[in-house]
Amino acid sequence: MSFERRPLIAGNWKMNGLIGFVDNLACFLVKKLNLENPTHFDLLVCPPSTLLHPIGSLAENSNLLLGGQNCHVAKNGAHTGEISAEMLKELGCSHVILGHSERRTNFYETNELVKAKAESALVENLVAIICVGETEEEHKRGVTSDIVKRQILDSIPDRGNATNIVIAYEPVWAIGTGLTPTTQEVQEVHALIRKTLGDKISIEEADQTRLLYGGSVKPSNAVELMDLADVDGALVGGASLTGVDFWAIAESCPK
Ligand code: 13P
């Protein structure tokens, strides 16, 4: 891993967490960061929208980063049930996850929509964490490279760069299943993502852009994944809901 690319460990809580998570999970993470002041990773939590405000207040003077799980293209307006990038920013978010496979599948989000959302995030100076990854069927057909390449080329905003975007490679079949690609497969896809990004933005920016792996990351497999040359962190689902596990994953980043 490049020295300049400090790993980002991001927790995607998905639709999990009632108010008690603020005192339990978020408080635990803030205390750990204050106590240990780690410099070998950045820690981000992306809770449901209902918890953004209390966690934003709790984390205000700490190194715990806060992110949303989605945003609308528009700044405001008649979009019942939606949240805008500007609203996320006001609540203290620095990041937003976009194009997660659950949104691509359940809410029919296309590459073009993900790109438009990312552009609106960039306007608010949020870092867009753009998710890509193949389905099980695509994996079996051996078309992972084509799928991921297309997603990168079509979902990344034209003014994306190393400071305003992060890419998360999440094979859909690895999410919540306990299955993971081999470390060789992960490295190959990440190298392809970096090369594709280089063609799209610039080699220099691509070289500095953080590429996260997501899909059944846990303390027991984090060390080997975080050790890969083109893996610069993780997007963690299930294991991010347990403080000690999430912290152990973060601690797996090379020093
Ligand atoms: P799991 O870590 O539960 O497999 O979820 C991964 C994910 O979807 C993170 O965005």
Side-chain angles (χ1 to χ4, degrees), residues 12 14 100 102 170 174-176 215-217 235-238:
N12 176 7
K14 308 191 179 183
H100 190 281
E102 286 150 17
E170 299 204 310
I175 296 175
S216 296
V217 177
L235 182 53
V236 187

Side-chain angles (χ1 to χ4, degrees), residues 64-76:
L64 183 65
L65 300 168
L66 186 66
Q69 298 177 10
N70 175 42
C71 73
H72 195 272
V73 174
K75 222 177 167 68
N76 50 46

Side-chain angles (χ1 to χ4, degrees), residues 8 33 42-46 59 62-67 94-95:
L8 172 66
L33 285 168
D42 291 328
L43 203 66
L44 166 71
V45 289
C46 302
S62 82
N63 287 331
L64 183 65
L65 300 168
L66 186 66
S94 52
H95 292 69

Side-chain angles (χ1 to χ4, degrees), residues 64-101:
L64 183 65
L65 300 168
L66 186 66
Q69 298 177 10
N70 175 42
C71 73
H72 195 272
V73 174
K75 222 177 167 68
N76 50 46
H79 304 289
T80 303
E82 292 289 330
I83 190 162
S84 72
E86 188 182 43
M87 292 167 179
L88 293 176
K89 189 73 189 181
E90 187 180 44
L91 292 175
C93 291
S94 52
H95 292 69
V96 59
I97 299 170
L98 295 171
H100 190 281
S101 67

